Amino acid sequence: MRYVIIRDDDTCALTPVACLEELYRPFLENGLPVNLATIPRVNTRAVWRDGSAEGFRAFASGQEPPHLALAENPGLVAYLKTNPGFRLVLHGYEHTYLEFQRPDAADLARRLDHGLELFAQAGFPRPSTFVAPYDQLSREALREVTRRFPILSTGWFELRRLPVTWWPAYFRKKIRRTPHWRVGATRLLTHPGCLLSHQRDLIRMLDTIRRTLENAPLTVLVTHWWEYFHRGQRNPAYIEVLHQTAALLARESDLRVITFDDLLSPDAALAAALRTTGLE
Ligand SMILES: [Zn+2]
């Protein structure tokens, strides 16, 4: 059995329900859970390094207040609650540029704690997992995140950014060549880049996904809802690739889609697979 975790980033108070519904209904109908990396208090003026608007502002009017907490979009909150196939994980705090690459531990701690509070205020259970904006974390952020979350999902890990006490575990991971690893009770997951991305070749995308899943016991498949509606323009060809991915995941009997939460209470088959990935 091979396992897949679907991670869609950047859901926030600016996300139209209709986008999530169109993208993920085929997943939910097939019992394929989707982890939404959700921004608790989105910066409605967030920009990329070059000053252009963040992709998740695709449907924003520009008239919103500077920040919007998740609970300020009650329609979205109600929709997420009526569809338990969506599992929320915490994605930064405001999602300003490289927000968790900053070195100020006290500020990072405040962002994490308030983010968790805002999830609770919106009526969601405490998330098990943290995802940093742009998958970038400073050494201080790694410390503060792993104090609060049993699971961190990111792109890759660099020795120079790791707390020194993590180095022995990191070298063991390198020697064992496992994709994921563990420091104490904290599960640290990597992913093979955004295989589902509007900047990649749509024709070859499904095949790349299929080959990646074939070759790994546990893959985190990352995408971003707004890329299917870039600058407010619906991209039917790209949406079709996502839906073909759902069909592939539903059809292949030796592929199982799980949630991040499932890693904390694995059944026997998953536990066996996790031992080969570096997570157990
Ligand atoms: Zn993001």
Side-chain angles (χ1 to χ4, degrees):
M1 186 66 77
R2 289 160 300 140
Y3 294 88
V4 182
I5 293 176
I6 301 162
R7 185 188 115 186
D8 182 301
D9 291 2
D10 297 343
T11 288
C12 62
L14 297 172
T15 306
V17 163
C19 293
L20 295 178
E21 175 64 17
E22 175 170 14
L23 295 178
Y24 290 113
R25 182 52 52 195
F27 289 77
L28 302 182
E29 274 176 357
N30 282 293
L32 309 172
V34 177
N35 300 269
L36 296 176
T38 302
I39 308 163
R41 180 178 181 264
V42 68
N43 174 356
T44 62
R45 310 287 187 266
V47 290
W48 293 98
R49 187 184 2 210
D50 66 5
S52 62
E54 261 291 355
F56 54 72
R57 291 170 55 188
F59 294 93
S61 67
Q63 304 304 308
E64 294 84 4
H67 292 91
L68 277 177
L70 196 51
E72 292 180 88
N73 186 337
L76 175 67
V77 169
Y79 171 72
L80 295 175
K81 286 182 187 168
T82 52
N83 289 283
F86 287 122
R87 300 294 181 88
L88 268 58
V89 309
L90 195 71
H91 186 37
Y93 175 59
E94 303 175 351
H95 208 298
T96 42
Y97 190 65
L98 296 181
E99 183 178 30
F100 276 78
Q101 203 179 285
R102 299 171 186 187
D104 182 344
D107 178 60
L108 294 166
R110 181 189 62 78
R111 285 167 191 264
L112 292 169
D113 290 336
H114 193 211
L116 287 169
E117 252 175 71
L118 291 171
F119 262 43
Q121 279 171 22
F124 293 106
R126 186 185 170 98
S128 63
T129 304
F130 183 77
V131 171
Y134 318 97
D135 276 333
Q136 296 295 318
L137 298 105
S138 64
R139 180 177 295 160
E140 294 77 9
L142 285 171
R143 272 204 209 95
E144 295 303 324
V145 165
T146 54
R147 271 181 193 146
R148 290 165 177 80
F149 297 86
I151 302 171
L152 168 65
S153 168
T154 191
W156 67 92
F157 291 89
E158 288 173 83
L159 183 66
R160 67 187 173 91
R161 289 216 193 135
L162 300 181
V164 176
T165 51
W166 292 22
W167 286 14
Y170 182 75
F171 290 132
R172 269 200 304 281
K173 159 194 161 46
K174 282 283 171 196
I175 291 164
R176 291 175 65 198
R177 295 174 176 235
T178 59
H180 315 298
W181 56 307
R182 214 173 145 148
V183 173
T186 307
R187 283 91 170 158
L188 303 164
L189 283 86
T190 65
H191 64 74
C194 298
L195 303 182
L196 282 158
S197 162
H198 69 150
Q199 290 171 337
R200 287 184 180 244
D201 178 0
L202 290 180
I203 308 289
R204 291 199 208 126
M205 201 174 288
L206 189 66
D207 204 45
T208 305
I209 291 168
R210 192 197 332 263
R211 272 185 286 112
T212 304
L213 302 186
E214 258 169 26
N215 292 318
L218 170 64
T219 305
V220 181
L221 204 52
V222 178
T223 194
H224 297 78
W225 64 268
W226 52 263
E227 287 197 341
Y228 302 86
F229 305 91
H230 193 40
R231 299 199 179 105
Q233 296 298 307
R234 189 173 168 276
N235 184 338
Y238 185 24
I239 293 171
E240 178 57 26
V241 174
L242 181 70
H243 290 171
Q244 286 170 359
T245 305
L248 169 78
L249 293 168
R251 187 176 64 230
E252 298 284 323
S253 55
D254 68 332
L255 280 179
R256 213 178 111 204
V257 179
I258 59 169
T259 64
F260 285 111
D261 295 345
D262 289 332
L263 300 176
L264 300 176
S265 51
D267 61 21
L270 177 57
L274 293 183
R275 277 193 284 279
T276 69
T277 66
L279 283 173
E280 289 294 337

